[in-house]
Amino acid sequence: MGQRSRTASAVRLQPLVVIGSGGFGRDTLDVVDALNSDRPTYRLLGVVDDDPNPRHIRYLRDRGIIHLGTVADFLASGLRADYLIGVANPSVRWRIAAMLEEAGLSPATAVHPMAIIGSQVVIGAGTIVCAGVQISVNVELGRYVQLSANSIIGYDAILESFVTVNPGAIVSGDVTVETGALLGSGSIILEGLRVEYGAIVGAGTVVVNGVCPHAVVKGVPAR
């Protein structure tokens, strides 16, 4: 009876692939491992990467994880699985998401059990939240948002789709970060500001005024 129960439980695990073998791709694998340790949810089929670094493939092999080839290889294989895109570059992530959605596949959503999530938080499909992230109340996260370890999102913040927040960045309350923007490690966005479409905020930058679309700002204060 116990063996049948374990087998049935294993069958119910959702097949999953992770796109990307770089740093955030392997961070994503850690999130999946933590979720499965907390409550078995996914059956990881492997990692997809169009141009993997041989060192990254070695790291995957050391973890017992298979490289499934390119995105095109995966789509041609006919495998049906949910996916997480562990690629930090917003525009590349957007392009990959379009390919996978056009093929009729569905994004998973992964929130590390050691993230702190406030009340009335909306998390869009495809979003990945790493360990140590703190999200305050009434926050909205769009689709395919990435929150790296120990980043902080303040109350009433809105992060639109395909936003990347690197480790230790702080988004203060009532901030809006528009689609495709990237916030560098340790950057700080002060309260009530707007980081517009496709902007890049450099590591350690303190943003004291709004950031224009596609601007690249750095320094203290941001310039």
Side-chain angles (χ1 to χ4, degrees):
M1 182 69 173
Q3 180 61 44
R4 285 200 299 273
S5 297
R6 286 195 295 272
T7 302
S9 178
V11 169
R12 287 196 294 269
L13 296 179
Q14 178 61 37
L16 179 76
V17 297
V18 170
I19 316 297
S21 63
F24 195 83
R26 283 173 280 125
D27 282 345
T28 301
L29 292 172
D30 280 357
V31 176
V32 173
D33 285 348
L35 286 170
N36 281 338
S37 294
D38 192 51
R39 184 182 68 180
T41 303
Y42 295 112
R43 178 168 61 89
L44 181 68
L45 302 183
V47 169
V48 173
D49 195 312
D50 283 359
D51 187 23
N53 184 311
R55 179 164 49 95
H56 298 165
I57 295 300
R58 186 173 73 251
Y59 292 154
L60 294 179
R61 191 182 307 120
D62 290 346
R63 297 176 71 156
I65 297 171
I66 299 169
H67 175 228
L68 297 171
T70 67
V71 173
D73 292 335
F74 168 61
L75 293 176
S77 73
L79 288 172
R80 304 299 296 181
D82 289 354
Y83 61 87
L84 291 166
I85 305 178
V87 176
N89 185 299
S91 60
V92 174
R93 190 158 76 249
W94 198 334
R95 175 177 57 81
I96 294 170
M99 294 173 62
L100 297 172
E101 289 183 359
E102 186 176 354
L105 300 178
S106 299
T109 301
V111 178
H112 197 289
M114 293 186 68
I116 299 173
I117 312 295
S119 61
Q120 295 182 294
V121 170
V122 176
I123 300 177
T127 289
I128 301 167
V129 179
C130 291
V133 170
Q134 299 180 48
I135 303 175
S136 187
V137 297
N138 300 102
V139 169
E140 296 181 23
L141 304 179
R143 303 173 75 242
Y144 299 102
V145 170
Q146 291 183 353
L147 301 183
S148 289
N150 301 316
S151 54
I152 298 174
I153 312 299
Y155 63 86
D156 300 346
I158 298 172
L159 277 62
E160 296 180 355
S161 296
F162 297 99
V163 165
T164 295
V165 181
N166 283 341
I170 299 174
V171 176
S172 300
D174 202 27
V175 164
T176 297
V177 183
E178 293 186 0
T179 300
L182 185 150
L183 309 183
S185 299
S187 59
I188 301 173
I189 316 298
L190 296 188
E191 186 173 1
L193 298 178
R194 179 178 291 267
V195 178
E196 297 191 38
Y197 184 97
I200 297 175
V201 177
T205 295
V206 178
V207 175
V208 299
N209 294 298
V211 181
C212 296
H214 298 291
V216 178
V217 299
K218 57 185 178 179
V220 182
R223 294 181 176 84

